[in-house]
Amino acid sequence: MIQARRRLNRTAIFLVLALIAVVMLFPFAFMALIANQSYDQYLAGSGFSLDSWRQLFDTIPVLQELLNSAIVTAGAVLIILVVSSMGGFAFAKLGYPGGSVVFLLLLAGMMVPVQSIVIPEFVNVSQLGLINQYPGAILVYAALGAPFATYLMTTYYRGVPTELMEASLMDGASYLQIFVRVILPLSVPAIVTITVLQFIQIWDDLLIGLLFLQTPDVRTITVGLATLQSGRMVNVPVLMAGSLASALPAIIVYLIFQRHLVRGLTMGIGK
């Protein structure tokens, strides 16, 4: 009786997960299907062709825009990792006066909508002369992503035994040596988690790229796809091909690091 009930529960869980998988994968299957059709085949509802891919590469510089997205994303994620790991260590382990107040202000800043601060950010970056340059967008993405990443790192570091740091201090190590040689090697799951989350968020972002990277030579792939919709008639197969090309890097990164991502979330946030 108990085994029959367990098999029934497993079957029910499998059916629910299968239904969720179908719902989640249907947009990608639809995208792949339409991307491999010409415009006439799309209107007719049948047939396959690579014509939409040829039109995509003839219309926008896909490879250059993918490279721009990679440069901006890598630069912003690197800054976020450096700031969040050092900030999280300070909040969790150093215990300096007023640290709790600063941490609360950090959490409060995460509640502010991006749309309400993007104009002041644009003014500041414009005054620095960094509009339509990689550093301007990188700094904005880093500023927007660092608070949440710092919160994750702080939560993770609080689960690291303080005895490790105290033993290192007794051996004569400095705080910098403890951070580099003891804390960082233990925080690889959290670092991988932040890397994957921030990579996907920055890579798929349109708002910041649209405001800070407007010229064709520096714009990201999401901004390039937005230009495909600027005309009166939207070529849906070409747009689907571009969307598929834009989504593939984020999907690949997630598939490579999915095991580390789950481990980082369970070890860090769960504590």
Side-chain angles (χ1 to χ4, degrees), residues 142-164:
L144 294 176
F148 178 68
T150 303
Y151 167 74
L152 283 182
M153 295 301 295
T154 303
T155 306
Y156 185 84
Y157 285 147
R158 283 175 177 167
V160 176
T162 306
E163 290 77 7
L164 291 175

Side-chain angles (χ1 to χ4, degrees), residues 154-178:
T154 303
T155 306
Y156 185 84
Y157 285 147
R158 283 175 177 167
V160 176
T162 306
E163 290 77 7
L164 291 175
M165 194 173 75
E166 293 174 348
S168 300
L169 287 173
M170 293 181 64
D171 290 337
S174 64
Y175 284 114
L176 180 60
Q177 291 173 326
I178 295 172

Side-chain angles (χ1 to χ4, degrees), residues 35-224:
N36 290 289
Q37 291 181 332
S38 66
Y39 187 71
D40 293 336
Q41 290 170 342
Y42 166 70
L43 294 178
S46 62
F48 292 95
S49 171
L50 296 179
D51 184 65
S52 58
W53 291 97
R54 284 192 291 269
Q55 289 188 44
L56 174 67
F57 280 82
D58 291 340
T59 305
I60 61 174
V62 177
L63 297 180
Q64 179 61 47
E65 291 176 353
L66 287 173
L67 177 62
N68 295 338
S69 294
I71 293 173
V72 172
T73 304
V77 170
L78 180 61
I79 295 176
I80 289 172
L81 288 177
V82 172
V83 172
S84 64
S85 59
M86 298 182 72
F89 176 66
F91 283 126
K93 296 299 181 185
L94 297 187
Y96 60 91
S100 299
V101 177
V102 176
F103 189 68
L104 288 176
L105 291 175
L106 181 73
L107 296 180
M110 292 167 52
M111 309 303 171
V112 179
V114 175
Q115 292 79 4
S116 64
I117 61 175
V118 70
I119 298 303
E121 293 278 5
F122 183 85
V123 173
N124 292 331
V125 173
S126 178
Q127 290 176 345
L128 294 173
L130 296 178
I131 297 297
N132 292 323
Q133 296 189 34
Y134 296 132
I138 289 174
L139 289 176
V140 174
Y141 280 126
L144 294 176
F148 178 68
T150 303
Y151 167 74
L152 283 182
M153 295 301 295
T154 303
T155 306
Y156 185 84
Y157 285 147
R158 283 175 177 167
V160 176
T162 306
E163 290 77 7
L164 291 175
M165 194 173 75
E166 293 174 348
S168 300
L169 287 173
M170 293 181 64
D171 290 337
S174 64
Y175 284 114
L176 180 60
Q177 291 173 326
I178 295 172
F179 174 71
V180 174
R181 298 179 180 178
V182 178
I183 300 299
L184 276 184
L186 295 174
S187 58
V188 172
I191 291 175
V192 173
T193 301
I194 291 173
T195 301
V196 175
L197 292 178
Q198 293 298 327
F199 181 92
I200 295 174
Q201 183 174 358
I202 296 173
W203 185 276
D204 293 337
D205 177 76
L206 173 62
L207 177 62
I208 302 302
L210 200 60
L211 291 174
F212 293 87
L213 299 172
Q214 302 172 359
T215 55
D217 58 330
V218 296
R219 68 190 182 192
T220 58
I221 184 64
T222 53
V223 180

Side-chain angles (χ1 to χ4, degrees), residues 39 43 55 227-236:
Y39 187 71
L43 294 178
Q55 289 188 44
T227 62
L228 293 177
Q229 308 177 59
S230 58
R232 292 184 177 180
M233 185 179 68
V234 177
N235 191 321
V236 177

Side-chain angles (χ1 to χ4, degrees), residues 15-31:
L15 292 176
V16 171
L17 293 178
L19 178 62
I20 294 174
V22 170
V23 172
M24 297 295 290
L25 293 177
F26 177 76
F28 294 101
F30 178 79
M31 189 186 303

